[in-house]
Structures are given as structure tokens and as C-alpha cells.
Amino acid sequence: MAGNITFTMIKPDAVGNGYTGKIINDFIEGGFSIRAMKYIHLTKDQAGAFYAVHKERPFYNDLVEFMTSGPIVAAVLEKDNAVTDFRTLIGATNPAEAAEGTIRNKYAKSIDANAVHGSDSDENAQIEASFFFSAIERF
Ligand code: GDP
């Protein structure tokens, strides 16, 4: 059965460009409710650990560099079928391929600076949410 939780980050490009409020509004209008949220500037160690699954990918160092270039907003969101519906809301990884009206289509410029993160499975949603939030912070 599909889970009802996903994890997201509003990435440094979107925070720096002043899109935080608009993007949070899109989450809510997309039917998601906020279960936890924090504003944080990741260290290289933290970003490297979060993206450890991508360690062998050629863009890993650039990704860690980018994700530590400014503050982010991390959040746990709730909705039925959360992971799939959220990936539909944000659009394709490459904003050039993201469908009209999706968050990446509206607010992202490139595949590396693509405005938002969304978990790719229920299992990873739990792992990623636990990376940023303790049980007591997730009501
Ligand atoms: P996602 O699940 O849609 O975020 O995509 P992936 O899990 O495939 O990649 C994780 C993140 O790595 C993406 O959101 C991008 O920020 C970044 N990324 C993916 N492909 C590239 C690339 O070719 N170059 C760079 N610089 N970053 C990339």
C-alpha cells in the first residue's frame, strides 16, 4: 500500500531566489499538509551523508557543493499516495523536461539547481525524514 508521507527540501537556488513562500503554497494547494519543517544550512558532511546513495555518480561533488551553497527548507509532508503525487507536483528532475505548471517548471533553471527534492520511495521517505527530524519533531 502506498504510504502517506514524503520528504522534501526546498533547495538553495529556490530559497535564494525568494521562492520559499510560493513553493510552500504549492505544497498546500497540491493537497499536502506539513508534518515537520526546518530552515537549515547544511554542512558538507551532512549533505554528503544525505546523498551517500549518489556517491559513485559523476555529479556527486557538484551536488554536495550546491546543496551547501545556501540555506534550505526541509519538510515532511502528508497526503495519501504522498511519494508519487509529490513527484508529479514537482515534475521531472531536469526542469527542461518538467511538465507545465510543476514546481520545477516554474521555479528551477537547471538539472543541478532544480528547486526541490522529493523522495523516490516510501522507504526512502522514512529514511530521509528521520535524517532531518527526530520522532518528537514529527507529530
Ligand atoms: P530526483 O530524485 O528527481 O531529485 O533525481 P536524482 O535522485 O536522480 O538526483 C538527485 C539530485 O542530483 C537531483 O535532484 C539533482 O539536483 C542532482 N542531479 C541529477 N542529475 C544531475 C546531473 O547530471 N548533474 C548535476 N550537477 N546534478 C544532477
Side-chain angles (χ1 to χ4, degrees), residues 11 51 54 57 59 62-63 66-67 87 90-93 104 111-114 116-120:
K11 296 186 178 184
Y51 282 113
H54 294 312
R57 311 271 287 268
F59 57 81
D62 288 345
L63 179 58
F66 167 66
M67 289 302 292
R87 289 184 73 89
I90 67 178
T93 306
R104 283 168 168 165
I111 191 164
D112 51 316
N114 62 0
V116 279
H117 167 83
S119 304
D120 64 4

Side-chain angles (χ1 to χ4, degrees), residues 19 34 36 44 47 51 53 59 64 86 95 103 114 125 129 132 138:
Y19 295 140
I34 297 166
K44 292 232 162 59
Y51 282 113
V53 289
F59 57 81
V64 170
F86 191 72
I103 291 176
N114 62 0
F132 277 88
R138 299 168 55 187

Side-chain angles (χ1 to χ4, degrees), residues 83-129:
V83 166
T84 306
D85 286 0
F86 191 72
R87 289 184 73 89
T88 302
L89 182 72
I90 67 178
T93 306
N94 185 349
E97 293 161 11
E100 186 74 27
T102 58
I103 291 176
R104 283 168 168 165
N105 167 258
K106 291 193 287 186
Y107 304 119
K109 295 274 185 296
S110 63
I111 191 164
D112 51 316
N114 62 0
V116 279
H117 167 83
S119 304
D120 64 4
S121 67
D122 291 339
E123 187 190 2
N124 281 337
Q126 293 296 337
I127 292 168
E128 292 170 1

